[in-house]
Amino acid sequence: MTSATVTRWSRAFVVVGVAWFVCWNGAVVAGFDRSATVVLGLQGFVFSVVFGKAYSLVPTYFDRELAFPNAAGAHLLLATLGTGALFVDAVGGGGPPMEIVGATAWIGVVGATAWFAGVCVFVGTLGWTVRDNLTGRETATGEINRHRRRIDRAANAVVPVVMAYLLAGAALPALDALGSSPGLLALDALGTSPGLLALDALGTSSALVAPGPAATHVLAAGTATLLVFGIGFRLLPRFFVSTPRPWLVAVVLPAGALAPALLAVDFQGGRLFAAGATLQAVAIVGFAIAVADMYRRTDRARIGFHGVLAGAVLGVVAVALGWGAGVADLDPIVLDAHYRLAVGGFLGLTIVGVTYQFYPPAIGTAPGVDDRTALASMVLLAVGLTIEAVGIATDAGSIAGVGAAIALAGAVVYAWILYALFWQRR
């Protein structure tokens, strides 16, 4: 019963995440600002899928059974509400659209606090599940895979770090939203709640990490990317039937764990930022080498492998652009390309490739659901994102628009395939 419940909620998260994926690419084509679209891409698409699969994978990797299976349902509701409200707040920006619904500031408070509450449910549920195995030493790795136990333990060990980054990345926007809310400031000015002054200070001035892009990097690099490294070094070797080089694991995991903290506390700053950007680049490049090496050595032919490889390649391009803009004085215009390639390319195509492994298109019975269509979706996404990035970097808006439209087509095809497979399995 527990397993069936977890599977049901895991699939529900993926269903919602894929919908956000299409909305995100559609919003980019429609010309919404990055501050709005990043919510759909990161909190919406990436984290919906990450949360859903983590509920089923993390307990297994720690040799445990999820403690509260139905907690995922409450989390899904909070995450969906939070993402939608954060997007509306970013689009409205306090202007006329928000004034019409009478939610000028409170929509941001609702979005940030709901999403943070969902994160608390997630971290609390998984934390309680693995409370007696926090280091992940017990891995449930069978005898047939005993040669992978050291790597499995190292991969498990970064999961608590991921959870810490997740809590921080979700709490910062919530504290900032609460601390900057006119209603709360008015109450504080009246002297009715001294604690609100401290809350405002935490949210707006004294936090170690500033809200905005720095907090977003805590989520994107510290949580999503590090979890891709950790789960990837456990999951992908089973898919490829090929063990990653231990020295690559030893480089990628520590670098990927430390880099986001350095980036966040000194965002667009000096030596710490440069060190963090360099460590992040080392981690991404190392992971890409590991993926390419396993892809080369495998004797299996699975359609999802192409998406994982393409994601790793675009991840290298994304981190090169980010490092160049942050450290080597590259034109800041490339940061939009960096964001799209990081979230849509590295994280996005990796997720697409992995979901095709979990839900093989080859077993589809609906029209157009097969490996060829799945390959087409990944090609459209990879080519579209690449063209879009070139257009952004060269300040050619028409080229960027064409690329974004191609990527949107790839997202729609991907959604059709997964939804058809889910309907078939209902």
Side-chain angles (χ1 to χ4, degrees):
M1 182 64 178
T2 297
S3 176
T5 301
V6 174
T7 299
R8 183 173 68 251
W9 286 120
S10 175
R11 188 175 299 177
F13 265 104
V14 175
V15 166
V16 172
V18 172
W20 286 127
F21 190 43
V22 175
C23 291
W24 173 45
N25 284 281
V28 171
V29 172
F32 284 88
D33 289 341
R34 183 174 66 185
S35 60
T37 60
V38 71
V39 172
L40 299 179
L42 187 60
Q43 281 97 331
F45 165 55
V46 170
F47 275 103
S48 290
V49 179
V50 164
F51 289 145
K53 300 313 295 182
Y55 275 120
S56 62
L57 292 176
V58 171
T60 301
Y61 289 162
F62 280 70
D63 197 18
R64 297 295 183 269
E65 187 175 277
L66 189 67
F68 312 111
N70 285 311
H75 181 191
L76 178 59
L77 178 62
L78 290 165
T80 304
L81 171 64
T83 300
L86 285 170
F87 174 71
V88 171
D89 178 59
V91 170
M98 300 306 299
E99 292 167 2
I100 291 173
V101 298
T104 304
W106 289 103
I107 192 71
V109 175
V110 170
T113 54
W115 209 81
F116 176 58
V119 165
C120 289
V121 172
F122 175 76
V123 174
T125 300
L126 290 184
W128 185 260
T129 298
V130 303
R131 65 191 182 280
D132 56 348
N133 185 29
L134 291 177
T135 64
R137 182 168 181 80
E138 297 176 46
T139 63
T141 304
E143 283 301 311
I144 194 172
N145 288 310
R146 62 183 177 274
H147 59 289
R148 295 189 175 123
R149 281 182 182 147
R150 290 183 64 184
I151 291 175
D152 289 349
R153 286 174 180 146
N156 280 358
V158 303
V159 173
V161 181
V162 167
M163 298 303 170
Y165 279 129
L166 177 59
L167 281 172
L172 289 167
L175 287 171
D176 183 59
L178 287 167
S180 60
S181 167
L184 292 179
L185 294 178
L187 286 174
D188 182 63
L190 290 171
T192 56
S193 178
L196 292 175
L197 180 61
L199 179 61
D200 179 59
L202 281 172
T204 59
S205 61
S206 64
L208 182 62
V209 178
T216 299
H217 275 72
V218 173
L219 289 175
T223 303
T225 299
L226 185 55
L227 195 61
V228 166
F229 296 157
I231 289 184
F233 280 134
R234 290 216 55 174
L235 191 64
L236 295 179
R238 272 74 172 179
F239 288 167
F240 285 109
V241 192
S242 178
T243 303
R245 311 288 181 180
W247 69 269
L248 284 171
V249 178
V251 168
V252 170
L253 293 181
L258 179 58
L262 298 178
L263 287 171
V265 300
D266 190 28
F267 195 71
Q268 294 183 340
R271 294 179 179 177
L272 286 180
F273 178 85
T278 301
L279 281 175
Q280 189 69 21
V282 168
I284 292 284
V285 171
F287 184 74
I289 292 172
V291 168
D293 183 48
M294 288 188 288
Y295 182 92
R296 178 187 63 84
R297 287 188 285 132
T298 187
D299 58 1
R300 286 192 172 186
R302 299 288 188 274
I303 198 66
F305 293 174
H306 306 307
V308 175
L309 179 64
V313 171
L314 291 185
V316 172
V317 179
V319 81
L321 293 176
W323 188 90
V327 178
D329 295 325
L330 202 63
D331 192 333
I333 194 175
V334 303
L335 289 176
D336 276 341
H338 161 73
Y339 139 67
R340 282 286 281 169
L341 289 175
V343 178
F346 175 61
L347 296 173
L349 274 165
T350 300
I351 287 171
V352 169
V354 170
T355 52
Y356 280 152
Q357 187 70 18
F358 282 115
Y359 313 108
I363 68 171
T365 57
V369 177
D370 53 33
D371 279 350
R372 288 178 299 179
T373 313
L375 180 60
S377 71
M378 292 183 287
V379 170
L380 287 169
L381 286 167
V383 171
L385 288 166
T386 301
I387 293 173
E388 182 185 356
V390 170
I392 293 171
T394 58
D395 202 17
S398 58
I399 293 177
V402 170
I406 293 172
L408 173 59
V412 170
V413 175
Y414 171 62
W416 161 248
I417 291 171
L418 281 198
Y419 287 162
L421 290 171
F422 289 157
W423 179 258
Q424 179 181 324
R425 291 186 177 190
R426 70 189 188 283

mmCIF file of all heavy atoms in Angstrom, residues 286-322:
data_model
loop_
_atom_site.group_PDB
_atom_site.id
_atom_site.type_symbol
_atom_site.label_atom_id
_atom_site.label_comp_id
_atom_site.label_asym_id
_atom_site.label_seq_id
_atom_site.Cartn_x
_atom_site.Cartn_y
_atom_site.Cartn_z
ATOM 1 N N GLY A 286 33.213 17.852 -14.647
ATOM 2 C CA GLY A 286 33.510 16.494 -14.188
ATOM 3 C C GLY A 286 32.334 15.560 -14.354
ATOM 4 O O GLY A 286 32.492 14.402 -14.776
ATOM 5 N N PHE A 287 31.132 16.055 -14.025
ATOM 6 C CA PHE A 287 29.938 15.228 -14.187
ATOM 7 C C PHE A 287 29.694 14.925 -15.664
ATOM 8 O O PHE A 287 29.319 13.797 -16.024
ATOM 9 C CB PHE A 287 28.730 15.933 -13.590
ATOM 10 C CG PHE A 287 27.461 15.126 -13.608
ATOM 11 C CD1 PHE A 287 27.275 14.068 -12.732
ATOM 12 C CD2 PHE A 287 26.439 15.411 -14.511
ATOM 13 C CE1 PHE A 287 26.113 13.315 -12.750
ATOM 14 C CE2 PHE A 287 25.274 14.673 -14.535
ATOM 15 C CZ PHE A 287 25.112 13.623 -13.654
ATOM 16 N N ALA A 288 29.895 15.930 -16.526
ATOM 17 C CA ALA A 288 29.710 15.719 -17.965
ATOM 18 C C ALA A 288 30.683 14.666 -18.492
ATOM 19 O O ALA A 288 30.313 13.818 -19.321
ATOM 20 C CB ALA A 288 29.894 17.037 -18.716
ATOM 21 N N ILE A 289 31.921 14.703 -18.005
ATOM 22 C CA ILE A 289 32.903 13.692 -18.425
ATOM 23 C C ILE A 289 32.456 12.305 -17.969
ATOM 24 O O ILE A 289 32.556 11.320 -18.724
ATOM 25 C CB ILE A 289 34.293 14.028 -17.857
ATOM 26 C CG1 ILE A 289 34.839 15.300 -18.511
ATOM 27 C CG2 ILE A 289 35.264 12.867 -18.075
ATOM 28 C CD1 ILE A 289 36.118 15.811 -17.880
ATOM 29 N N ALA A 290 31.946 12.222 -16.734
ATOM 30 C CA ALA A 290 31.479 10.932 -16.218
ATOM 31 C C ALA A 290 30.319 10.398 -17.055
ATOM 32 O O ALA A 290 30.269 9.206 -17.387
ATOM 33 C CB ALA A 290 31.058 11.077 -14.755
ATOM 34 N N VAL A 291 29.376 11.287 -17.390
ATOM 35 C CA VAL A 291 28.231 10.871 -18.207
ATOM 36 C C VAL A 291 28.693 10.422 -19.592
ATOM 37 O O VAL A 291 28.275 9.370 -20.096
ATOM 38 C CB VAL A 291 27.211 12.014 -18.324
ATOM 39 C CG1 VAL A 291 26.172 11.706 -19.399
ATOM 40 C CG2 VAL A 291 26.519 12.247 -16.983
ATOM 41 N N ALA A 292 29.549 11.218 -20.222
ATOM 42 C CA ALA A 292 30.036 10.869 -21.558
ATOM 43 C C ALA A 292 30.803 9.553 -21.537
ATOM 44 O O ALA A 292 30.695 8.730 -22.464
ATOM 45 C CB ALA A 292 30.928 11.992 -22.095
ATOM 46 N N ASP A 293 31.561 9.326 -20.477
ATOM 47 C CA ASP A 293 32.340 8.092 -20.356
ATOM 48 C C ASP A 293 31.417 6.882 -20.217
ATOM 49 O O ASP A 293 31.617 5.846 -20.866
ATOM 50 C CB ASP A 293 33.275 8.208 -19.160
ATOM 51 C CG ASP A 293 34.177 6.996 -19.008
ATOM 52 O OD1 ASP A 293 34.790 6.567 -20.003
ATOM 53 O OD2 ASP A 293 34.270 6.460 -17.878
ATOM 54 N N MET A 294 30.385 7.003 -19.363
ATOM 55 C CA MET A 294 29.442 5.889 -19.217
ATOM 56 C C MET A 294 28.642 5.680 -20.494
ATOM 57 O O MET A 294 28.349 4.541 -20.880
ATOM 58 C CB MET A 294 28.518 6.150 -18.026
ATOM 59 C CG MET A 294 29.191 6.014 -16.679
ATOM 60 S SD MET A 294 28.028 6.103 -15.277
ATOM 61 C CE MET A 294 27.607 7.847 -15.288
ATOM 62 N N TYR A 295 28.293 6.767 -21.173
ATOM 63 C CA TYR A 295 27.558 6.687 -22.447
ATOM 64 C C TYR A 295 28.397 5.948 -23.486
ATOM 65 O O TYR A 295 27.886 5.121 -24.240
ATOM 66 C CB TYR A 295 27.250 8.105 -22.922
ATOM 67 C CG TYR A 295 26.454 8.203 -24.211
ATOM 68 C CD1 TYR A 295 25.067 8.285 -24.187
ATOM 69 C CD2 TYR A 295 27.091 8.238 -25.451
ATOM 70 C CE1 TYR A 295 24.332 8.402 -25.355
ATOM 71 C CE2 TYR A 295 26.373 8.345 -26.623
ATOM 72 C CZ TYR A 295 24.995 8.426 -26.573
ATOM 73 O OH TYR A 295 24.271 8.533 -27.734
ATOM 74 N N ARG A 296 29.696 6.237 -23.506
ATOM 75 C CA ARG A 296 30.594 5.599 -24.471
ATOM 76 C C ARG A 296 30.768 4.114 -24.189
ATOM 77 O O ARG A 296 30.849 3.290 -25.108
ATOM 78 C CB ARG A 296 31.956 6.309 -24.438
ATOM 79 C CG ARG A 296 33.012 5.722 -25.369
ATOM 80 C CD ARG A 296 34.364 6.379 -25.154
ATOM 81 N NE ARG A 296 34.884 6.157 -23.801
ATOM 82 C CZ ARG A 296 35.548 5.062 -23.438
ATOM 83 N NH1 ARG A 296 35.723 4.067 -24.299
ATOM 84 N NH2 ARG A 296 35.995 4.948 -22.197
ATOM 85 N N ARG A 297 30.815 3.759 -22.891
ATOM 86 C CA ARG A 297 31.140 2.379 -22.524
ATOM 87 C C ARG A 297 29.934 1.449 -22.470
ATOM 88 O O ARG A 297 30.097 0.233 -22.445
ATOM 89 C CB ARG A 297 31.846 2.367 -21.162
ATOM 90 C CG ARG A 297 33.267 2.886 -21.199
ATOM 91 C CD ARG A 297 33.979 2.666 -19.884
ATOM 92 N NE ARG A 297 33.552 3.588 -18.839
ATOM 93 C CZ ARG A 297 33.228 3.221 -17.618
ATOM 94 N NH1 ARG A 297 33.220 1.950 -17.269
ATOM 95 N NH2 ARG A 297 32.879 4.129 -16.713
ATOM 96 N N THR A 298 28.723 2.010 -22.441
ATOM 97 C CA THR A 298 27.557 1.147 -22.290
ATOM 98 C C THR A 298 27.287 0.337 -23.548
ATOM 99 O O THR A 298 27.565 0.788 -24.669
ATOM 100 C CB THR A 298 26.307 1.981 -21.944
ATOM 101 O OG1 THR A 298 25.227 1.090 -21.634
ATOM 102 C CG2 THR A 298 25.887 2.878 -23.100
ATOM 103 N N ASP A 299 26.764 -0.863 -23.358
ATOM 104 C CA ASP A 299 26.346 -1.669 -24.505
ATOM 105 C C ASP A 299 24.826 -1.697 -24.622
ATOM 106 O O ASP A 299 24.273 -2.472 -25.400
ATOM 107 C CB ASP A 299 26.899 -3.097 -24.400
ATOM 108 C CG ASP A 299 26.466 -3.799 -23.113
ATOM 109 O OD1 ASP A 299 25.722 -3.190 -22.313
ATOM 110 O OD2 ASP A 299 26.881 -4.966 -22.916
ATOM 111 N N ARG A 300 24.157 -0.839 -23.833
ATOM 112 C CA ARG A 300 22.707 -0.728 -23.910
ATOM 113 C C ARG A 300 22.308 0.399 -24.856
ATOM 114 O O ARG A 300 23.049 1.372 -25.025
ATOM 115 C CB ARG A 300 22.110 -0.453 -22.524
ATOM 116 C CG ARG A 300 22.104 -1.657 -21.605
ATOM 117 C CD ARG A 300 21.248 -1.388 -20.385
ATOM 118 N NE ARG A 300 21.061 -2.580 -19.583
ATOM 119 C CZ ARG A 300 20.262 -2.642 -18.525
ATOM 120 N NH1 ARG A 300 19.579 -1.568 -18.147
ATOM 121 N NH2 ARG A 300 20.140 -3.765 -17.845
ATOM 122 N N ALA A 301 21.140 0.253 -25.439
ATOM 123 C CA ALA A 301 20.606 1.298 -26.318
ATOM 124 C C ALA A 301 19.263 1.739 -25.759
ATOM 125 O O ALA A 301 18.253 1.055 -25.940
ATOM 126 C CB ALA A 301 20.448 0.761 -27.745
ATOM 127 N N ARG A 302 19.261 2.855 -25.051
ATOM 128 C CA ARG A 302 18.043 3.408 -24.475
ATOM 129 C C ARG A 302 17.899 4.845 -24.931
ATOM 130 O O ARG A 302 18.844 5.632 -24.878
ATOM 131 C CB ARG A 302 18.080 3.355 -22.944
ATOM 132 C CG ARG A 302 18.200 1.949 -22.369
ATOM 133 C CD ARG A 302 16.910 1.166 -22.537
ATOM 134 N NE ARG A 302 16.954 -0.114 -21.833
ATOM 135 C CZ ARG A 302 17.452 -1.240 -22.323
ATOM 136 N NH1 ARG A 302 17.975 -1.229 -23.559
ATOM 137 N NH2 ARG A 302 17.445 -2.358 -21.623
ATOM 138 N N ILE A 303 16.702 5.218 -25.341
ATOM 139 C CA ILE A 303 16.492 6.532 -25.935
ATOM 140 C C ILE A 303 16.790 7.651 -24.944
ATOM 141 O O ILE A 303 17.275 8.716 -25.324
ATOM 142 C CB ILE A 303 15.047 6.640 -26.482
ATOM 143 C CG1 ILE A 303 14.944 7.792 -27.484
ATOM 144 C CG2 ILE A 303 14.035 6.789 -25.363
ATOM 145 C CD1 ILE A 303 15.744 7.583 -28.734
ATOM 146 N N GLY A 304 16.529 7.422 -23.661
ATOM 147 C CA GLY A 304 16.760 8.463 -22.678
ATOM 148 C C GLY A 304 18.213 8.836 -22.497
ATOM 149 O O GLY A 304 18.527 9.951 -22.037
ATOM 150 N N PHE A 305 19.142 7.927 -22.844
ATOM 151 C CA PHE A 305 20.564 8.212 -22.690
ATOM 152 C C PHE A 305 20.971 9.466 -23.464
ATOM 153 O O PHE A 305 21.835 10.231 -23.034
ATOM 154 C CB PHE A 305 21.414 7.033 -23.177
ATOM 155 C CG PHE A 305 21.286 5.778 -22.347
ATOM 156 C CD1 PHE A 305 21.907 4.603 -22.753
ATOM 157 C CD2 PHE A 305 20.555 5.770 -21.169
ATOM 158 C CE1 PHE A 305 21.806 3.442 -21.999
ATOM 159 C CE2 PHE A 305 20.442 4.609 -20.409
ATOM 160 C CZ PHE A 305 21.064 3.447 -20.824
ATOM 161 N N HIS A 306 20.346 9.668 -24.639
ATOM 162 C CA HIS A 306 20.706 10.817 -25.474
ATOM 163 C C HIS A 306 20.359 12.132 -24.772
ATOM 164 O O HIS A 306 21.092 13.117 -24.888
ATOM 165 C CB HIS A 306 19.996 10.730 -26.822
ATOM 166 C CG HIS A 306 20.221 9.432 -27.551
ATOM 167 N ND1 HIS A 306 21.481 8.927 -27.799
ATOM 168 C CD2 HIS A 306 19.346 8.541 -28.074
ATOM 169 C CE1 HIS A 306 21.379 7.781 -28.449
ATOM 170 N NE2 HIS A 306 20.083 7.519 -28.624
ATOM 171 N N GLY A 307 19.236 12.149 -24.055
ATOM 172 C CA GLY A 307 18.854 13.354 -23.336
ATOM 173 C C GLY A 307 19.810 13.661 -22.195
ATOM 174 O O GLY A 307 20.171 14.822 -21.969
ATOM 175 N N VAL A 308 20.221 12.626 -21.470
ATOM 176 C CA VAL A 308 21.164 12.820 -20.365
ATOM 177 C C VAL A 308 22.493 13.352 -20.891
ATOM 178 O O VAL A 308 23.085 14.273 -20.306
ATOM 179 C CB VAL A 308 21.372 11.499 -19.599
ATOM 180 C CG1 VAL A 308 22.441 11.669 -18.525
ATOM 181 C CG2 VAL A 308 20.061 11.041 -18.962
ATOM 182 N N LEU A 309 22.975 12.789 -22.007
ATOM 183 C CA LEU A 309 24.232 13.263 -22.586
ATOM 184 C C LEU A 309 24.106 14.698 -23.081
ATOM 185 O O LEU A 309 24.991 15.537 -22.829
ATOM 186 C CB LEU A 309 24.661 12.343 -23.735
ATOM 187 C CG LEU A 309 25.958 12.741 -24.449
ATOM 188 C CD1 LEU A 309 27.152 12.651 -23.493
ATOM 189 C CD2 LEU A 309 26.194 11.871 -25.679
ATOM 190 N N ALA A 310 23.011 14.994 -23.786
ATOM 191 C CA ALA A 310 22.801 16.357 -24.285
ATOM 192 C C ALA A 310 22.715 17.352 -23.131
ATOM 193 O O ALA A 310 23.253 18.464 -23.210
ATOM 194 C CB ALA A 310 21.528 16.416 -25.124
ATOM 195 N N GLY A 311 22.053 16.959 -22.043
ATOM 196 C CA GLY A 311 21.970 17.823 -20.881
ATOM 197 C C GLY A 311 23.338 18.112 -20.299
ATOM 198 O O GLY A 311 23.642 19.250 -19.913
ATOM 199 N N ALA A 312 24.189 17.092 -20.231
ATOM 200 C CA ALA A 312 25.538 17.284 -19.693
ATOM 201 C C ALA A 312 26.350 18.236 -20.563
ATOM 202 O O ALA A 312 27.069 19.113 -20.050
ATOM 203 C CB ALA A 312 26.247 15.934 -19.580
ATOM 204 N N VAL A 313 26.228 18.098 -21.873
ATOM 205 C CA VAL A 313 26.963 18.972 -22.794
ATOM 206 C C VAL A 313 26.497 20.418 -22.656
ATOM 207 O O VAL A 313 27.307 21.353 -22.551
ATOM 208 C CB VAL A 313 26.795 18.492 -24.249
ATOM 209 C CG1 VAL A 313 27.373 19.515 -25.228
ATOM 210 C CG2 VAL A 313 27.470 17.137 -24.448
ATOM 211 N N LEU A 314 25.186 20.629 -22.638
ATOM 212 C CA LEU A 314 24.668 21.989 -22.491
ATOM 213 C C LEU A 314 24.982 22.556 -21.110
ATOM 214 O O LEU A 314 25.113 23.767 -20.946
ATOM 215 C CB LEU A 314 23.168 22.013 -22.749
ATOM 216 C CG LEU A 314 22.735 21.747 -24.197
ATOM 217 C CD1 LEU A 314 21.231 21.920 -24.356
ATOM 218 C CD2 LEU A 314 23.471 22.682 -25.161
ATOM 219 N N GLY A 315 25.117 21.674 -20.124
ATOM 220 C CA GLY A 315 25.525 22.133 -18.800
ATOM 221 C C GLY A 315 26.917 22.740 -18.824
ATOM 222 O O GLY A 315 27.184 23.752 -18.150
ATOM 223 N N VAL A 316 27.820 22.140 -19.583
ATOM 224 C CA VAL A 316 29.174 22.681 -19.712
ATOM 225 C C VAL A 316 29.135 24.068 -20.366
ATOM 226 O O VAL A 316 29.817 25.004 -19.922
ATOM 227 C CB VAL A 316 30.064 21.724 -20.527
ATOM 228 C CG1 VAL A 316 31.423 22.361 -20.826
ATOM 229 C CG2 VAL A 316 30.254 20.409 -19.779
ATOM 230 N N VAL A 317 28.313 24.198 -21.405
ATOM 231 C CA VAL A 317 28.180 25.510 -22.068
ATOM 232 C C VAL A 317 27.594 26.530 -21.099
ATOM 233 O O VAL A 317 28.051 27.679 -21.016
ATOM 234 C CB VAL A 317 27.306 25.393 -23.330
ATOM 235 C CG1 VAL A 317 27.153 26.760 -23.995
ATOM 236 C CG2 VAL A 317 27.899 24.397 -24.312
ATOM 237 N N ALA A 318 26.573 26.118 -20.360
ATOM 238 C CA ALA A 318 25.920 27.029 -19.414
ATOM 239 C C ALA A 318 26.890 27.521 -18.352
ATOM 240 O O ALA A 318 26.941 28.715 -18.039
ATOM 241 C CB ALA A 318 24.724 26.332 -18.761
ATOM 242 N N VAL A 319 27.662 26.612 -17.780
ATOM 243 C CA VAL A 319 28.580 27.015 -16.712
ATOM 244 C C VAL A 319 29.735 27.849 -17.273
ATOM 245 O O VAL A 319 30.261 28.742 -16.581
ATOM 246 C CB VAL A 319 29.095 25.777 -15.942
ATOM 247 C CG1 VAL A 319 30.228 25.083 -16.670
ATOM 248 C CG2 VAL A 319 29.522 26.146 -14.534
ATOM 249 N N ALA A 320 30.100 27.605 -18.516
ATOM 250 C CA ALA A 320 31.135 28.429 -19.146
ATOM 251 C C ALA A 320 30.642 29.865 -19.307
ATOM 252 O O ALA A 320 31.389 30.825 -19.049
ATOM 253 C CB ALA A 320 31.533 27.842 -20.500
ATOM 254 N N LEU A 321 29.396 30.029 -19.732
ATOM 255 C CA LEU A 321 28.825 31.374 -19.871
ATOM 256 C C LEU A 321 28.695 32.055 -18.515
ATOM 257 O O LEU A 321 28.999 33.242 -18.371
ATOM 258 C CB LEU A 321 27.459 31.295 -20.552
ATOM 259 C CG LEU A 321 27.445 30.854 -22.015
ATOM 260 C CD1 LEU A 321 26.009 30.724 -22.514
ATOM 261 C CD2 LEU A 321 28.213 31.841 -22.885
ATOM 262 N N GLY A 322 28.224 31.298 -17.507
ATOM 263 C CA GLY A 322 28.087 31.871 -16.178
ATOM 264 C C GLY A 322 29.438 32.268 -15.599
ATOM 265 O O GLY A 322 29.573 33.350 -15.009
#
